[in-house]
């Protein structure tokens, strides 16, 4: 077809022949680099179409000759992660909590696993960092009711405290005696022994009352709390009686709360976890909790 070639007088470039109000459109060729990029894109899309899933076909799609799928890739990486966990879980299952604690790799694995299980199951009562709340002991200090070794903590978690479990720690419903309610001590004696308990942490006390309270303490309290009020763990008694000579309090160390504890008694319950968590998970928790308390 013959072209009506017209050249622009100013630039010498051909025009397309279109004209608007005297303005003519120049017919500059496309830049070479732009054209090449364009061709490469077309070639790339053809290669991609052959190799990878691309065109939708109603309920299915062209799968491509490589057989790649995003779903398969995720399934593969999940399987790989499971497999690498498997190695650690098998090792933990075969070792004592103490051995796990001493193995650097297993310790790191158990700490991470323990933290996530703790946040899910324990934080509601013990706080997110195990810092405790009234009636729920702190697990982040080194004061223990039932012992702070890895084996102690493992047993506490596994069998619970005063819980529905044949091997539970303590006895269901039995804890700190209700000295007031049960008529063992009168109000004055409770007042005196509370003053004495305050003196164990070197606080201001009524000296005369505390002196009498010492006798009350020796006659009624040392059997569980130890002769120094050092707690049953330090005194080597297995009753879960906390130390009364540290700044850590489960229920409260102010006088009113001490009087309330001695009057009405306490018997905290910690559920048994053996029924809900598998043994490897409980071991990881024991390692995690042990290290919250300083890892000694
Ligand atoms: C329903 C509330 C509750 C939940 C949930 C709970 N605990 Fe406890 N836990 C307690 C109470 C209450 C005590 C104190 C029991 C007592 O008076 O001796 C305790 C005590 C403990 C102790 C003993 C502390 C010591 O000083 O000897 C450990 C260890 C412990 N819990 C770990 C855990 C772990 C780990 C979990 C999660 C798997 C957990 N607890 C979940 C309530 C709970
Ligand atoms: C039969 C053992 C036993 C005897 C005797 C006993 N206690 Fe306790 N005491 C416990 C136990 C166990 C706990 C922890 C209760 C719990 O975990 O719910 C406790 C807790 C306490 C607490 C709360 C501590 C805190 O951290 O808030 C105080 C205070 C206390 N006892 C004071 C006394 C005094 C004073 C006497 C003597 C008049 C006494 N106890 C006698 C077992 C005993």
């Amino acid at each position: 077809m013959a072209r009506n070639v017209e050249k622009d007088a100013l630039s010498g470039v051909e025009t397309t022949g279109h004209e608007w109000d005297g303005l003519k459109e120049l017919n500059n060729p496309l830049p070479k680099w732009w054209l090449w990029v364009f061709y490469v894109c077309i070639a790339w899309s053809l290669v991609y179409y052959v190799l990878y899933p691309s065109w939708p076909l109603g309920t299915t799609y062209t799968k491509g000759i490589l057989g790649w799928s995003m779903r398969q890739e995720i399934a593969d990486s999940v399987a790989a992660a499971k497999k690498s966990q498997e190695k650690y879980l098998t090792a933990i299952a075969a070792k004592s909590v103490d051995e796990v604690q001493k193995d650097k790799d297993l310790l790191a694995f158990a700490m991470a696993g323990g933290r996530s299980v703790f946040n899910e199951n324990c934080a509601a009562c013990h706080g997110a960092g195990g810092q405790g709340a009234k009636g729920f002991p702190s697990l982040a200090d080194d004061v223990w009711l039932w012992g702070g070794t890895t084996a102690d903590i493992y047993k506490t978690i596994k069998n619970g405290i005063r819980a529905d479990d044949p091997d539970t720690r303590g006895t269901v419903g039995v804890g700190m005696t209700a000295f007031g309610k049960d008529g063992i001590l009168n109000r004055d004696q409770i007042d005196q022994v509370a003053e004495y308990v305050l003196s164990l942490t070197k606080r201001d006390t009524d000296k005369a009352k505390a002196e009498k309270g010492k006798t009350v303490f020796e006659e009624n309290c040392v059997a569980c709390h130890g002769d120094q009020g050092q707690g049953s763990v330090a005194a080597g008694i297995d009753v879960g009686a906390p130390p009364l000579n540290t700044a850590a309090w489960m229920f409260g160390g102010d006088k009113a709360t001490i009087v309330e504890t001695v009057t009405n008694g306490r018997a905290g319950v910690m559920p048994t976890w053996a029924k809900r968590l598998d043994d490897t998970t409980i071991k990881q928790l024991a390692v995690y909790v042990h290290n919250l308390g300083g890892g000694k």
Side-chain angles (χ1 to χ4, degrees):
M1 190 171 84
R3 287 209 298 159
N4 178 16
V5 175
E6 189 188 336
K7 287 199 173 173
D8 174 50
L10 200 68
S11 59
V13 175
E14 284 181 15
T15 74
T16 60
H18 301 148
E19 180 180 341
W20 295 273
D21 297 337
L23 291 173
K24 288 179 180 163
E25 185 183 16
L26 299 187
N27 191 12
N28 274 315
L30 289 163
K32 278 259 156 47
W33 67 264
W34 192 94
L35 271 176
W36 276 111
V37 170
F38 186 61
Y39 295 144
V40 168
C41 283
I42 292 171
W44 164 257
S45 73
L46 288 173
V47 171
Y48 189 96
Y49 164 42
V50 172
L51 295 180
Y52 287 99
S54 42
W55 296 103
L57 298 172
T59 57
T60 175
Y61 55 93
T62 60
K63 302 231 160 47
I65 59 172
L66 289 185
W68 182 90
S69 98
M70 196 173 268
R71 190 163 298 178
Q72 188 56 42
E73 190 169 59
I74 291 171
D76 287 350
S77 65
V78 167
K82 274 231 176 80
K83 201 159 169 223
S84 76
Q85 281 203 354
E86 205 62 45
K87 187 179 84 187
Y88 291 109
L89 293 175
T90 320
I92 289 174
K95 287 179 193 286
S96 74
V97 189
D98 207 40
E99 286 166 339
V100 174
Q101 166 78 23
K102 283 180 182 138
D103 181 313
K104 224 177 90 219
D105 291 343
L106 293 184
L107 174 64
F109 181 83
M111 284 300 285
R115 177 180 296 112
S116 84
V117 183
F118 188 90
N119 288 337
E120 229 169 273
N121 296 282
C122 323
C125 288
H126 290 286
Q131 75 276 14
K134 183 165 178 177
F136 304 105
S138 164
L139 306 176
D141 58 19
D142 212 20
V143 176
W144 299 97
L145 300 164
W146 299 96
T149 69
T150 49
D152 290 335
I153 296 171
Y154 169 75
K155 180 175 167 42
T156 301
I157 300 170
K158 187 173 169 195
N159 303 118
I161 300 163
R162 304 185 186 96
D164 177 19
D165 183 304
D167 297 319
T168 195
R169 290 196 182 278
T171 307
V172 176
V174 180
M176 160 84 184
T177 319
F179 287 93
K181 231 168 64 186
D182 293 353
I184 303 166
L185 297 176
N186 63 33
R187 274 168 175 244
D188 286 344
Q189 289 170 307
I190 293 174
D191 190 50
Q192 289 156 3
V193 82
E195 288 289 340
Y196 176 70
V197 170
L198 291 178
S199 79
L200 292 174
T201 39
K202 315 246 169 346
R203 284 180 282 175
D204 283 343
T205 48
D206 181 319
K207 291 263 160 20
K209 281 188 189 169
E211 195 54 42
K212 288 187 186 141
K214 187 170 194 286
T215 314
V216 179
F217 192 85
E218 282 162 0
E219 285 167 4
N220 296 279
C221 318
V222 294
C224 294
H225 288 280
D227 55 356
Q228 318 285 316
Q230 70 271 48
S232 57
V233 172
I237 316 161
D238 191 27
V239 294
L244 304 174
N245 61 356
T246 73
W249 297 93
M250 175 161 51
F251 298 100
D254 58 294
K255 186 172 172 191
T257 310
I258 295 172
V259 167
E260 185 195 321
T261 298
V262 177
T263 305
N264 298 320
R266 307 272 189 194
V269 173
M270 149 92 167
T272 161
W273 292 94
K275 291 174 194 158
R276 277 185 261 182
L277 302 172
D278 65 46
D279 196 53
T280 334
T281 306
I282 295 178
K283 283 181 181 171
Q284 293 180 63
L285 273 171
V287 167
Y288 176 70
V289 168
H290 182 69
N291 287 281
L292 283 179
K296 275 174 269 163

